[in-house]
Amino acid sequence: MEESFFNINIGFWNNDFDDARFETVVRKLRWQDTISEISENLFQQWQQQGKAIQTDLDRAEFSRRSRETFTHYMEVLHSIHVGMVRDEYFLIYAPQRQLPLLPTLLPDLFDEANLDDDERIALTKAVIDYCNALFEGLEQTEPAVMVELRLGWAKILQSVPSRYGLANQVQAIMQTWLKQRGINNSVDPIIDIGKMLVPEDSNFVQSFNACLQLLGITNYLNIAKSCFKRGMEHLQVQRYDLAKIDFNRTISLNPQADVYYQRAMACDGLKEYNSAISDLDKAISLQPQRAEFYDLRGDSYLKLNNYEIALANYNQGVSLGSSPNKRDILQKEWNDTRRQEEEARKLHEAENARKCAEEEERRRALILPLPNNQTLQLVWIDVGVLIMEGVYTVHLSEFRMGKYPVTQAQYQAVMGTNPSHFSGIGKENHPVERVNWHQATEFCQKLTEYLNKQGINIKITLPSETQWEYACRAGTTTKFWFGDNSNQVTNHAWSDENSGNQTHSVKEKEGTHTNPWGLVDMHGNVWEWCADSWTDNIAELPKNGNPYVNTSQFNKSLRGCSWNNNRAYCLAGYRNFSNAGIVYNFNGFRVVCV
């Protein structure tokens, strides 16, 4: 108080301030004049209420009420300004920021001071304008937090009388939101915000829409619609990757059939046809009567070359009103394709049949003509591997081998003589014997020459040791081609136990003497000359199936055992030899051609 004047001053400081800040709230207010104004207003109120000032007591009460009203008004001013400073501190300077509290306290303060409506509105506007100024200043220093702060401030303004400042704050919220995304000038902020919304903005949209509703604005923000619209715009300019992202967002918020359909369009543009089909399946499950859904699904199946399912989808689309053009074109193409595929299949089958026939013919036993109406049958032996004595590996190419040991009749036809000991009428099919290695080799040479003259260009030779053993085993690894039981030898071979000390016809027991590859009497009957020079070391035998040749070695290899030997010599892997120039009545041979 200064004589007739009344002053209110506020001092404010914080630890970070260089100096205290002082502000004048009321300066040199003539309090007597104010009280006089209050008294006049009060007098009018009393008159309206039927009260009169007649006694000294009435005058004292009237004076007290006038001064009390003035005092309350000054207290209100003081409280409001202290509250404003407090709100400034906690909004701007406090470690833990708080939104202004004073606006929510004004109604009680005004009621207690019994202020009229005009004073209430004037003071309320002053407080709101002051707080708005604080927000404007804060936005210059901390723009990143302003959207959330302004939303909180707008929620407080919703309870202020006549919602003073709410509309302006809504505008400020939109401008702040757009500034954070690089848009400083916007003609229609709601439209511009809608163009940029994503699901992560859901909390903002919910709070902001509540403000719009209170202001009577029906143009609400809708994230799902915004994402969908943006996706459609991307789709229109063929930015399929961006369109798919926005449709993904839309589906996460509002999975409708149209959104699945549009995302399928984006997937189709990205050539993600399986994903497109998956989306169309969902769209159809939601709205099964949409013809365009089936058309697009048909397109995707067609691009995956699944013509049948594509055609089924086109048919379904046509039944719901789509144009039949796609279906009719595909039906014709599919018919043509199936016809071409059928023709190609038949050609392929025919080619396979031809190759199989050729292969079968190639593998069929070769029957060679000999003089005197005799023939010699060769059995086809496939390529394979022989493991000798369990350790030595030989890789053999395919070849043909005589089904039987060379018979006396065959030898007679080629050589003109029959040197056999066991000869005579009825012995024509007995194996020839009493031939040495040189005679067997000569037989091969003469037969080759004879065949070549007949136009059959093959070469007949004696088998190598490895060829002979490989053919004898016929794919087995047992002691004999029929197993390991030596007691079975008499059932499958001629040895000293069952031969009667003589050779036997190669056809006499062909049924039981034939191994799995069709070769007869590989065990027993006569020893069979091989093309190899003799060696004790099997490691010297060639690994490719060729014969071992040593010109200084007079002994040649024999295989198979004979009619006058014990069963122990009938083993598939048993090796024997004899001098190339000596003849015995138990040595014969069979031939091969490569």
Side-chain angles (χ1 to χ4, degrees):
M1 300 289 293
E2 296 178 358
E3 299 178 355
S4 298
F5 298 105
F6 185 83
N7 302 280
I8 298 179
N9 297 299
I10 293 178
F12 173 39
W13 66 93
N14 184 43
N15 290 340
D16 296 335
F17 287 7
D18 293 334
D19 198 359
R21 192 179 80 197
F22 294 96
E23 295 179 0
T24 298
V25 178
V26 176
R27 177 174 175 78
K28 290 188 176 183
L29 175 67
R30 288 185 177 274
W31 56 271
Q32 293 95 338
D33 295 343
T34 304
I35 291 177
S36 296
E37 183 179 347
I38 291 173
S39 297
E40 184 178 347
N41 291 335
L42 183 59
F43 181 74
Q44 292 176 0
Q45 291 176 9
W46 277 27
Q47 282 184 328
Q48 292 172 359
Q49 296 171 6
K51 295 180 180 181
I53 304 175
Q54 298 176 346
T55 64
D56 291 341
L57 184 60
D58 291 337
R59 284 189 288 273
E61 175 64 18
F62 183 82
S63 178
R64 185 188 66 78
R65 291 287 299 274
S66 298
R67 291 175 178 274
E68 187 179 79
T69 300
F70 174 77
T71 301
H72 281 336
Y73 187 72
M74 293 299 103
E75 289 174 347
V76 168
L77 291 179
H78 176 267
S79 297
I80 287 175
H81 283 81
V82 170
M84 290 162 65
V85 169
R86 177 267 177 205
D87 281 344
E88 178 180 350
Y89 170 75
F90 280 100
L91 180 64
I92 306 297
Y93 305 107
Q96 294 184 342
R97 179 175 285 117
Q98 297 180 26
L99 290 170
L101 178 63
L102 180 59
T104 64
L105 303 177
L106 289 178
D108 289 341
L109 185 62
F110 293 159
D111 289 343
E112 183 179 348
N114 195 26
L115 298 183
D116 60 30
D117 291 342
D118 291 341
E119 291 173 328
R120 291 171 183 254
I121 292 174
L123 291 174
T124 297
K125 289 181 177 180
V127 170
I128 299 303
D129 291 343
Y130 178 80
C131 291
N132 283 339
L134 295 178
F135 280 101
E136 293 299 327
L138 189 61
E139 183 156 0
Q140 303 304 315
T141 58
E142 298 185 57
V145 300
M146 288 311 298
V147 170
E148 183 178 355
L149 287 178
R150 287 191 181 278
L151 281 170
W153 176 230
K155 186 174 182 181
I156 292 173
L157 294 178
Q158 293 171 18
S159 61
V160 170
S162 72
R163 300 191 180 95
Y164 175 74
L166 179 59
N168 291 336
Q169 196 58 220
V170 167
Q171 290 295 323
I173 291 170
M174 291 190 290
Q175 296 297 339
T176 299
W177 194 93
L178 289 170
K179 283 181 181 179
Q180 291 181 356
R181 287 153 180 81
I183 300 178
N184 294 317
N185 297 306
S186 174
V187 176
D188 193 331
I190 289 183
I191 291 179
D192 289 338
I193 290 174
K195 292 178 180 179
M196 305 174 71
L197 288 175
V198 294
E200 290 76 13
D201 296 319
S202 59
N203 290 335
F204 163 75
V205 169
Q206 183 177 2
S207 299
F208 188 74
N209 281 345
C211 296
L212 295 179
Q213 185 176 9
L214 289 173
L215 293 174
I217 300 174
T218 58
N219 187 19
Y220 299 139
L221 297 177
N222 187 307
I223 300 176
K225 288 183 178 179
S226 296
C227 292
F228 182 75
K229 183 179 179 181
R230 195 165 56 239
M232 293 297 293
E233 291 172 353
H234 289 315
L235 194 63
Q236 188 174 6
V237 296
Q238 299 182 354
R239 292 300 303 271
Y240 301 117
D241 51 344
L242 297 180
K244 183 179 178 183
I245 291 172
D246 276 311
F247 292 138
N248 288 342
R249 291 166 173 164
T250 309
I251 288 171
S252 71
L253 298 169
N254 190 18
Q256 298 294 320
D258 277 330
V259 190
Y260 283 118
Y261 173 70
Q262 299 300 338
R263 189 170 72 174
M265 294 280 285
C267 290
D268 183 80
L270 293 170
K271 299 183 180 180
E272 298 173 357
Y273 304 123
N274 286 316
S275 296
I277 290 169
S278 177
D279 275 345
L280 291 165
D281 290 344
K282 294 172 184 175
I284 289 171
S285 70
L286 294 171
Q287 293 186 6
Q289 301 305 313
R290 298 280 293 276
E292 65 269 29
F293 294 176
Y294 296 95
D295 276 352
L296 183 57
R297 192 166 68 173
D299 292 345
S300 297
Y301 276 114
L302 181 59
K303 290 167 184 175
L304 290 172
N305 298 320
N306 197 328
Y307 300 102
E308 186 173 1
I309 299 181
L311 190 59
N313 276 273
Y314 288 150
N315 279 326
Q316 185 66 29
V318 170
S319 71
L320 294 172
S322 290
S323 168
N325 291 342
K326 285 185 180 180
R327 180 198 62 184
D328 295 345
I329 292 172
L330 178 59
Q331 184 70 66
K332 181 180 181 304
E333 290 179 353
W334 193 36
N335 290 342
D336 292 343
T337 299
R338 284 193 299 175
R339 183 172 59 254
Q340 292 171 3
E341 289 176 348
E342 180 64 18
E343 292 173 355
R345 184 188 64 79
K346 290 180 178 179
L347 288 174
H348 182 68
E349 289 179 352
E351 180 63 16
N352 284 342
R354 183 188 65 78
K355 290 180 178 179
C356 289
E358 289 179 353
E359 182 66 14
E360 183 178 354
E361 179 65 24
R362 189 173 68 87
R363 293 175 178 238
R364 185 178 296 128
L366 180 62
I367 299 178
L368 301 176
L370 304 182
N372 300 333
N373 295 322
Q374 293 293 315
T375 59
L376 190 149
Q377 185 173 346
L378 298 175
V379 176
W380 183 83
I381 308 297
D382 200 359
V383 61
V385 177
L386 169 67
I387 301 178
M388 301 179 69
E389 297 183 6
V391 293
Y392 189 67
T393 301
V394 180
H395 295 268
L396 295 105
S397 302
E398 61 181 52
F399 59 95
R400 292 181 180 274
M401 182 176 239
K403 181 179 180 67
Y404 312 101
V406 173
T407 65
Q408 295 179 25
Q410 291 168 335
Y411 191 88
Q412 175 77 40
V414 174
M415 303 296 289
T417 62
N418 180 9
S420 301
H421 172 72
F422 301 105
S423 60
I425 298 174
K427 301 291 181 69
E428 294 85 356
N429 287 327
H430 285 232
V432 66
E433 17 85 13
R434 285 187 58 78
V435 292
N436 61 31
W437 184 86
H438 298 294
Q439 292 170 318
T441 301
E442 185 181 1
F443 173 90
C444 294
Q445 293 171 345
K446 286 190 175 183
L447 178 54
T448 298
E449 293 172 359
Y450 174 79
L451 293 173
N452 292 164
K453 290 178 181 180
Q454 306 300 314
I456 304 173
N457 296 316
I458 60 175
K459 181 179 181 180
I460 303 297
T461 67
L462 295 177
S464 68
E465 266 202 80
T466 51
Q467 284 177 325
W468 191 97
E469 183 174 337
Y470 175 68
C472 174
R473 290 186 177 281
T476 67
T477 58
T478 51
K479 294 179 180 179
F480 313 95
W481 61 257
F482 49 82
D484 289 320
N485 188 353
S486 60
N487 292 327
Q488 294 295 318
V489 170
T490 55
N491 295 330
H492 302 287
W494 298 110
S495 68
D496 62 358
E497 295 182 77
N498 62 352
S499 67
N501 293 322
Q502 62 178 340
T503 60
H504 288 261
S505 168
V506 295
K507 298 185 177 181
E508 182 176 343
K509 289 192 175 183
E510 186 174 354
T512 57
H513 285 205
T514 303
N515 78 359
W517 286 355
L519 301 172
V520 181
D521 280 342
M522 291 298 286
H523 297 304
N525 215 352
V526 292
W527 288 98
E528 298 179 8
W529 287 109
C530 293
D532 302 67
S533 302
W534 174 252
T535 175
D536 292 327
N537 183 10
I538 62 170
E540 292 186 327
L541 299 178
K543 291 180 176 291
N544 60 1
N546 292 336
Y548 168 71
V549 178
N550 184 350
T551 56
S552 62
Q553 174 61 264
F554 298 105
N555 292 326
K556 302 295 181 180
S557 298
L558 289 163
R559 288 297 193 105
C561 194
S562 74
W563 56 268
N564 73 333
N565 291 112
N566 185 272
R567 71 174 77 168
Y569 299 100
C570 289
L571 301 174
Y574 186 83
R575 302 177 66 231
N576 195 7
F577 66 92
S578 180
N579 188 285
I582 297 179
V583 296
Y584 293 105
N585 61 0
F586 45 75
N587 286 350
F589 67 98
R590 76 175 71 211
V591 298
V592 298
C593 75
V594 178

